[in-house]
Amino acid sequence: MTVTGGRGLEIGIGAHYRDVVSQRWPVIVAPQSEELLSSWLHRLAIANGVAPRDFARVLGPGSGPGSGLWTASLDLRLPAPVAACLLTHTGVSRQKLVAMSLKRSAWRPLLLPLRSRGRRGRSTWLQYCPCCLAEDAQPYFRRRWRLATWISCPDHGCGLRDRCRSCGSGIAASDQPDLAPQHLCVRCGFDLRRAPKVAVSTSARRLERCIDDICRLEAVTGRLTGTLTGNLGGSPLVQSLQRLPAIAGLAPTSPLSGLSTSARRRCFEQLARTPCTWLTAGDDGVVVHWRRLILAAGGTGALMGQLVKALERGRHLQASPSRSVPKADLPALLAAYLDLKVQPPRPDLRLHPLAARAGPSRAPDG
Ligand SMILES: [Zn+2]
Ligand SMILES: [Zn+2]
């Protein structure tokens, strides 16, 4: 539609034409479960016919140099103009965009450092499970693969990898100059899905699961980042986890996040053979109590199973068919934990066996 202005001809876009010509890019790519922002950006770029290395020019200023680990940097900071560009052109919600990035993650102190090439034994920035990639219809990288505390895949039971099996390079998918999917090594073209399985013992995987559950519990309460305790250098738990190589006696000077996946796996294997006294030390009785419960049960999943069984036993003892089945879930458990933090139980109840058996109920006042 044309509009004639007072000083000449002005041309505008009519409402109907604007409906036809959308601002959306041709192909919309839906984020997958627990997908990392940089992984989604890779899939978005090649789906729309742009090589990942050139996609920075599409995203505009603030997206980075377009070389090296530039999308991995966006995981951590995601500048407002880049976020606005993605919201406008992809139709993804702001909530999903924030969920994919690690900008506000409570887990930041445990992230692997951004480096794609590390000496043998040193960490790279991202891990992967070959079996997960092989099962994906659209192979993608998960957020948890950025964490130093993960060494295996909970779904497949095998060890994670952090390098190409063929050439030894770390993941560098954002450097891809062709329209190639991210499960192909940028340096040599090896298909990461073909890497053989790595064995991890059951005890090491159990320790890994307990550490993750304890971290999740303490992330909810703000203890993981140290914001609750005012410790800007990382919480005592994060500091203990970073010291694991020294505690295991394998690498006295390296933090956990500085080691390769295979070196961290050796630490977990070593630590799983001895009692976790390093995890149950501390002067906060409530926190220590919960950590002991999780370690004894082998994780919150098993702990919840035990609690539900105990509640069901109580129901049978009451022998009242009209009563509804009591239920317990993790959110309720965490809420009770928060209550305990706000209003600590009396010192004489903190580690009393009956208090432990009663679980997360609120301590009596006074
Ligand atoms: Zn897997
Ligand atoms: Zn390679």
Side-chain angles (χ1 to χ4, degrees), residues 164 166-169 185 187-190:
C164 167
S166 175
C167 72
S169 301
C185 173
R187 310 288 175 223
C188 74
F190 178 77

Short mmCIF file of all heavy atoms in Angstrom, two decimals, residues 164 166-169 185 187-190, ligand 2:
data_model
loop_
_atom_site.label_atom_id
_atom_site.label_comp_id
_atom_site.label_asym_id
_atom_site.label_seq_id
_atom_site.Cartn_x
_atom_site.Cartn_y
_atom_site.Cartn_z
N CYS A 164 37.08 -35.81 21.27
CA CYS A 164 36.83 -36.64 20.10
C CYS A 164 37.67 -37.91 20.22
O CYS A 164 38.86 -37.84 20.54
CB CYS A 164 37.21 -35.86 18.84
SG CYS A 164 37.30 -36.88 17.36
N SER A 166 38.70 -39.76 17.95
CA SER A 166 39.63 -39.94 16.85
C SER A 166 40.83 -38.98 16.93
O SER A 166 41.98 -39.40 16.84
CB SER A 166 38.90 -39.74 15.52
OG SER A 166 39.79 -39.79 14.44
N CYS A 167 40.58 -37.68 17.11
CA CYS A 167 41.68 -36.71 17.06
C CYS A 167 42.02 -36.10 18.41
O CYS A 167 43.01 -35.37 18.53
CB CYS A 167 41.36 -35.59 16.05
SG CYS A 167 40.08 -34.45 16.61
N GLY A 168 41.19 -36.35 19.44
CA GLY A 168 41.50 -35.86 20.78
C GLY A 168 41.08 -34.42 21.04
O GLY A 168 41.33 -33.89 22.14
N SER A 169 40.43 -33.76 20.09
CA SER A 169 40.00 -32.38 20.30
C SER A 169 38.77 -32.33 21.19
O SER A 169 37.97 -33.27 21.22
CB SER A 169 39.62 -31.72 18.97
OG SER A 169 40.71 -31.72 18.09
N CYS A 185 32.77 -34.18 14.77
CA CYS A 185 33.93 -33.39 15.23
C CYS A 185 34.30 -32.34 14.17
O CYS A 185 34.43 -32.66 12.98
CB CYS A 185 35.11 -34.33 15.49
SG CYS A 185 36.64 -33.45 15.87
N ARG A 187 37.11 -30.80 13.90
CA ARG A 187 38.50 -30.94 13.44
C ARG A 187 38.66 -32.09 12.44
O ARG A 187 39.41 -31.97 11.48
CB ARG A 187 39.44 -31.18 14.63
CG ARG A 187 39.27 -30.20 15.77
CD ARG A 187 39.80 -28.82 15.45
NE ARG A 187 39.50 -27.90 16.55
CZ ARG A 187 39.06 -26.66 16.39
NH1 ARG A 187 38.87 -26.17 15.18
NH2 ARG A 187 38.82 -25.89 17.44
N CYS A 188 38.01 -33.24 12.68
CA CYS A 188 38.29 -34.41 11.84
C CYS A 188 37.05 -35.08 11.25
O CYS A 188 37.17 -36.01 10.46
CB CYS A 188 39.11 -35.44 12.62
SG CYS A 188 38.15 -36.34 13.86
N GLY A 189 35.85 -34.62 11.67
CA GLY A 189 34.62 -35.18 11.10
C GLY A 189 34.15 -36.47 11.76
O GLY A 189 33.15 -37.05 11.33
N PHE A 190 34.87 -36.94 12.80
CA PHE A 190 34.46 -38.19 13.47
C PHE A 190 33.05 -38.03 14.06
O PHE A 190 32.72 -36.98 14.63
CB PHE A 190 35.47 -38.52 14.58
CG PHE A 190 35.13 -39.76 15.37
CD1 PHE A 190 35.36 -41.02 14.84
CD2 PHE A 190 34.56 -39.66 16.64
CE1 PHE A 190 35.04 -42.16 15.58
CE2 PHE A 190 34.25 -40.79 17.37
CZ PHE A 190 34.49 -42.04 16.83
ZN ZN B 2 38.07 -35.25 15.85
#
